[in-house]
Amino acid sequence: MPADFNWAIGGEAGDGINSTGKIFAQALSRAGRHVFTSKDFASRIRGGYTAYKVRTSVDQVQSVVDRLDVLIALTQRTIDENIDELHEGSVIIYDGDRTTMEGVEIPDEMIGLDVPLQALAEEAGGAIMRNVVALGAACAVGEFPIANLDSALEKRFGDKGAAIVENNKNAARKGKEYVHDNYDEEFGFELECTDENYVLLNGDEAIGMGAIAAGCRFYAGYPITPATDVMEYLTGRIEQYGGHVVQAEDELSAINMALGAARAGARSMTATSGPGIDLMAETFGLVATSETPLVICNVMRSGPSTGMPTKQEQGDLNAMLYGGHGEVPRFVLAPTTVAECFHKTVEAFNLAEKYQLPVYLTADLSLAVTEQTYPPEEFDMDAVDIERGKVVDEETVGEWQDESGRFKPHALTDDGISPRAFPGTEGGVHMSTGLEHDELGRRTEETDMRVQQVDKRTRKVQTAREREPFEPREFGDADADTLVVSWGSNEGALIEAKSFLDEEGIDARYLSVPYIFPRPDLTEAVEAAEETIVVECNATGQFADLVEHDTLTRVTRINKYDGVRFKADELAERIADVLATDEGAEEATA
């Protein structure tokens, strides 16, 4: 495993925890270090425990682990919440003068640094900078050059004026100097800097970036945790490319606006979470029946109902696969990393237009809020291919007209894909309706045409199976007896769990599946394994059900549904426990 450093700040919602963590993450990134962040926040504006964790290394990091090296604790609860991750030699930075830290108890094997954060902040220009003082103290503990913090402070406070920036730089230095002047311990940390240049972004931002790269020119949405950052990223950016963002009055309006823009020929999308998906179900059927390409991003959270809006879960799988009345052809894509949020968004737009179907692009809270570093070339806009599908123009529209010169937007074809004419295309005037229709788009209840249209729409999915490389991502030992399968955001934890398991001499083959429907056939891989384990963040094992359905083989399920993502070391332990249990059972029956 890479030599990593794990840092966190915790307190109450409204204490500036998120902005403080983001500043430190940006500073580390700009110093040429890899960063992986994790957030724990309550479903309220003020009050409730909130934490921001950063894992960093000069090597790539792809998951969180059960270890904290430095903790900035603004409340006693912060220490209590993280006590299991703190270890001998962990450093806890706190302000003993704060009423929330009266009688604070620092475990004997850990190092407590009582730093007067508020008093030092007031000396620098204002108590509001106490968290920045704490960052300076953390730089002292980690032997991290405070100059690297300066650029992050400039980015965060630059629009507030030079004086505010200088005050914050001064506050950080006061924190660093206080630790150097009052504590002479050897903390044992040294955060190495490199000349590497990294981009730091989260999954929602990567989705927004991917949408722009893919040519999306209309976005309609209604704010909902944890999907709102997609809209916030696009706002002010998509306009530079001739696009528009509309904040609708609700999710119903959002998908209907997006549908209208798509019918007009614009690449269009909306983003929401589980409750919004429920509300959008009726229009989802209209999108499919009218054969309109549309991308619907679902950033999952804990449900059902309001559930836990700021907690992790992968519980919407069945809703995306089967939601809506009638039989609705669709695609469901599930990015497995922050970078894949960019690439799969581009792919979602291409699939939507090539097959004239709605595409669910499904992320989850962990992907949405996790900031991770990548080299800039990972997001090469010039390498993006835009495929608009079977679009006709004035020269080719005649091939798709009937004997009366009327365009057939729902023409019966061998591959199920009909021609598409944008508004204004001469000879391409047509109508579409949510009612069953004939090739011209006119309503019909004629039985043969009904069967032909249903078969045609369904045939598009089979065509996609034949033409598209819907393959899983694979790593590990291809010949191992143990197969571990996951989908969505669990990939990073799985990759790093592999390192822990390798150290224990446990070999396994790992498949990370980004395509939920259509999905790869895992039958051969499952049949070749003696033990198949499916890892996911829901209670019932919804993806495990799909694997069993497809392969006619029972699998072992590792499910997590407490609102917290998998950690690499935790996942490795659970996989090892499953294998140990199986081995013990075999010995008992031998």
Side-chain angles (χ1 to χ4, degrees):
M1 296 295 291
D4 58 357
F5 177 80
N6 295 272
W7 172 97
I9 181 170
E12 296 290 311
D15 279 346
I17 304 299
N18 187 63
S19 59
T20 305
K22 185 68 174 285
I23 289 169
F24 193 54
Q26 287 175 337
L28 293 163
S29 171
R30 292 179 179 217
R33 295 183 62 87
H34 277 290
V35 169
F36 189 96
T37 73
S38 177
K39 301 176 187 177
D40 184 0
F41 50 104
S43 306
R44 62 184 76 174
I45 296 173
R46 292 195 67 86
Y49 172 70
T50 299
Y52 189 113
K53 299 182 179 181
V54 175
R55 185 172 177 225
T56 179
S57 173
V58 293
D59 300 314
Q60 187 180 26
V61 283
Q62 303 182 67
S63 175
V64 290
V65 292
D66 266 326
R67 192 180 80 253
L68 271 180
D69 302 309
V70 174
L71 174 64
I72 298 173
L74 302 185
T75 61
Q76 175 66 49
R77 182 179 176 183
T78 300
I79 300 174
D80 298 338
E81 289 280 349
N82 294 280
I83 194 67
D84 291 339
E85 297 184 21
L86 295 166
H87 57 86
E88 182 178 354
S90 289
V91 176
I92 301 173
I93 300 170
Y94 66 98
D95 186 346
D97 293 336
R98 291 192 69 185
T99 56
T100 56
M101 298 303 287
E102 287 181 358
V104 64
E105 297 180 3
I106 305 296
D108 292 338
E109 66 275 18
M110 299 168 196
I111 302 170
L113 301 186
D114 186 351
V115 181
L117 304 177
Q118 183 163 325
L120 292 174
E122 290 172 348
E123 290 178 13
I128 196 172
M129 296 182 290
R130 68 184 182 192
N131 290 2
V132 177
V133 175
L135 287 179
C139 287
V141 172
E143 294 191 20
F144 183 60
I146 203 162
N148 292 310
L149 195 61
D150 290 346
S151 61
L153 291 171
E154 289 167 1
K155 179 178 176 63
R156 177 66 178 83
F157 300 110
D159 59 349
K160 298 183 183 297
I164 297 297
V165 172
E166 288 306 311
N167 285 347
N168 277 275
K169 290 181 180 179
N170 187 30
R173 281 161 175 77
K174 284 185 176 293
K176 179 180 180 180
E177 291 164 4
Y178 187 90
V179 172
H180 282 161
D181 294 343
N182 292 273
Y183 298 96
D184 53 10
E185 283 95 342
E186 291 291 335
F187 301 111
F189 305 114
E190 183 177 358
L191 298 185
E192 177 187 350
C193 301
T194 77
D195 294 328
E196 297 296 331
N197 178 36
Y198 295 123
V199 175
L200 178 69
L201 76 168
N202 64 35
D204 276 353
E205 292 167 341
I207 289 169
M209 185 191 303
I212 291 175
C216 176
R217 294 298 177 261
F218 185 82
Y219 176 95
Y222 181 77
I224 183 170
T225 302
T228 305
D229 280 353
V230 176
M231 180 161 59
E232 291 187 0
Y233 180 88
L234 289 171
T235 301
R237 290 183 173 89
I238 198 172
E239 290 83 356
Q240 300 175 33
Y241 300 88
H244 297 279
V245 171
V246 176
Q247 180 174 321
E249 62 266 34
D250 55 34
E251 289 86 354
L252 290 170
S253 297
I255 192 172
N256 284 322
M257 289 179 182
L259 169 59
R263 292 297 304 177
R267 282 200 157 186
S268 179
M269 76 176 295
T270 185
T272 186
S273 192
I277 291 297
D278 294 342
L279 292 170
M280 292 179 179
E282 183 176 3
T283 299
F284 184 81
L286 175 58
V287 172
T289 301
S290 63
E291 302 190 76
T292 305
L294 186 65
V295 175
I296 302 154
C297 177
N298 176 24
V299 186
M300 295 179 290
R301 69 190 204 188
S302 292
S305 188
T306 306
M308 298 191 295
T310 62
K311 303 302 178 185
Q312 163 70 359
E313 194 166 282
Q314 296 177 305
D316 297 351
L317 187 63
N318 286 338
M320 289 182 292
L321 283 173
Y322 309 118
H325 60 283
E327 295 169 307
V328 184
R330 70 199 70 193
F331 294 139
V332 182
L333 276 61
T336 57
T337 66
V338 171
E340 277 292 290
C341 286
F342 172 85
H343 298 296
K344 284 293 177 283
T345 299
V346 174
E347 187 174 351
F349 276 100
N350 285 341
L351 288 173
E353 291 208 307
K354 287 163 68 176
Y355 299 98
Q356 298 169 27
L357 282 177
V359 178
Y360 274 131
L361 177 71
T362 177
D364 54 42
L365 184 135
S366 289
L367 276 179
V369 305
T370 292
E371 283 122 2
Q372 191 172 357
T373 45
Y374 291 93
E377 54 268 23
E378 178 69 40
F379 309 102
D380 185 356
M381 302 290 188
D382 295 332
V384 170
D385 291 325
I386 295 178
E387 303 175 72
R388 302 220 63 179
K390 196 181 288 187
V391 177
V392 299
D393 55 22
E394 283 81 358
E395 295 181 359
T396 58
V397 69
E399 301 172 16
W400 300 99
Q401 293 174 334
D402 67 2
E403 63 278 0
S404 300
R406 296 174 297 183
F407 179 64
K408 298 187 290 184
H410 302 286
L412 300 172
T413 61
D414 291 339
D415 61 8
I417 304 168
S418 300
R420 184 175 173 221
F422 295 141
T425 302
E426 187 174 346
V429 175
H430 64 276
M431 66 174 292
S432 287
T433 173
L435 296 166
E436 190 55 273
H437 42 255
D438 60 16
E439 292 184 282
L440 297 172
R442 301 175 306 181
R443 61 174 294 181
T444 183
E445 293 183 357
E446 198 275 320
T447 54
D448 287 344
M449 181 55 65
R450 160 65 176 179
V451 171
Q452 289 174 327
Q453 286 292 333
V454 170
D455 289 347
K456 183 194 85 71
R457 293 192 292 266
T458 303
R459 199 154 56 242
K460 291 189 284 188
V461 176
Q462 182 57 40
T463 298
R465 282 196 176 101
E466 296 168 357
R467 295 179 180 176
E468 304 296 333
F470 294 131
E471 295 296 329
R473 295 154 68 90
E474 180 171 350
F475 45 97
D477 182 356
D479 298 321
D481 293 333
T482 300
L483 174 67
V484 183
V485 182
S486 80
W487 66 282
S489 65
N490 305 310
E491 180 177 297
L494 199 60
I495 289 174
E496 294 206 355
K498 173 187 176 299
S499 297
F500 287 108
L501 292 168
D502 287 347
E503 292 174 1
E504 298 297 321
I506 299 175
D507 294 326
R509 180 184 184 186
Y510 302 88
L511 298 179
S512 178
V513 183
Y515 301 103
I516 309 303
F517 190 80
R519 57 186 169 271
D521 185 357
L522 304 183
T523 302
E524 184 177 335
V526 170
E527 289 179 347
E530 293 183 7
E531 174 82 60
T532 298
I533 302 169
V534 178
V535 174
E536 55 190 315
C537 287
N538 57 57
T540 57
Q542 295 175 35
F543 191 72
D545 287 343
L546 297 179
V547 174
E548 291 185 345
H549 171 275
D550 293 348
T551 66
L552 301 179
T553 304
R554 290 293 184 188
V555 302
T556 301
R557 302 164 187 236
I558 294 181
N559 300 336
K560 186 174 173 66
Y561 47 95
D562 58 359
V564 181
R565 72 195 311 159
F566 280 108
K567 298 176 182 177
D569 42 3
E570 167 203 12
L571 183 54
E573 183 177 350
R574 293 188 64 175
I575 293 171
D577 287 346
V578 167
L579 298 177
T581 299
D582 290 346
E583 184 178 331
E586 290 176 5
E587 291 177 354
T589 56

